[in-house]
Amino acid sequence: MKKLLAILVLVGGVSFAADGEKIFKSKGCASCHQPAADTVGPSLKKIAQAYAGKEDQLVKFLKGQAPAIVDPAKAAIMKAQLTVIKNLSDDQLKALAQYMLSFK
Ligand code: HEC
């Protein structure tokens, strides 16, 4: 599946993952979320594992419509960050979710 995605990305020249990465970095998410190490926030790997096969649920979380499942004790810190992305379209949120899920 990953290979197939990579091929689609190459052939299509457009990538949800690439857009998601841009959003992730431009919105400051990377300052608290590293690929593999837990810092202020859980690693992208941990998030991707918790949300494996649950892309829709992750999008809901990003919209503030689903509870935290990774580190609920620190949910307030993350909740404050959701305002930064509240004006993104569904497609952009989906791309953002797919980018994070690619760290599994
Ligand atoms: C100030 C630090 C900080 C920033 C900036 C930040 N986060 Fe977080 N994030 C956290 C912390 C702390 C947690 C752990 C609490 C939790 O699980 O909700 C977390 C958890 C998460 C989770 C897991 C949610 C769950 O179900 O538990 C996702 C997804 C996430 N962040 C996405 C993002 C995105 C996307 C951005 C950029 C818009 C972002 N974060 C910016 C600190 C941050």
Side-chain angles (χ1 to χ4, degrees), residues 22-37:
K22 218 167 163 188
I23 297 167
F24 189 83
K25 290 181 175 161
S26 68
K27 295 293 180 188
C29 315
S31 61
C32 290
H33 296 288
Q34 298 289 309

Side-chain angles (χ1 to χ4, degrees), residues 49-83:
Q49 282 169 347
Y51 280 98
K54 300 180 193 163
E55 186 186 305
D56 289 352
Q57 192 185 331
L58 180 50
V59 170
K60 272 197 181 148
F61 173 82
L62 295 174
K63 288 180 170 178
Q65 296 169 355
I69 60 168
V70 177
D71 193 355
K74 291 188 189 164
I77 302 173
M78 184 53 218
K79 217 154 191 188
Q81 306 304 318
L82 294 178
T83 54

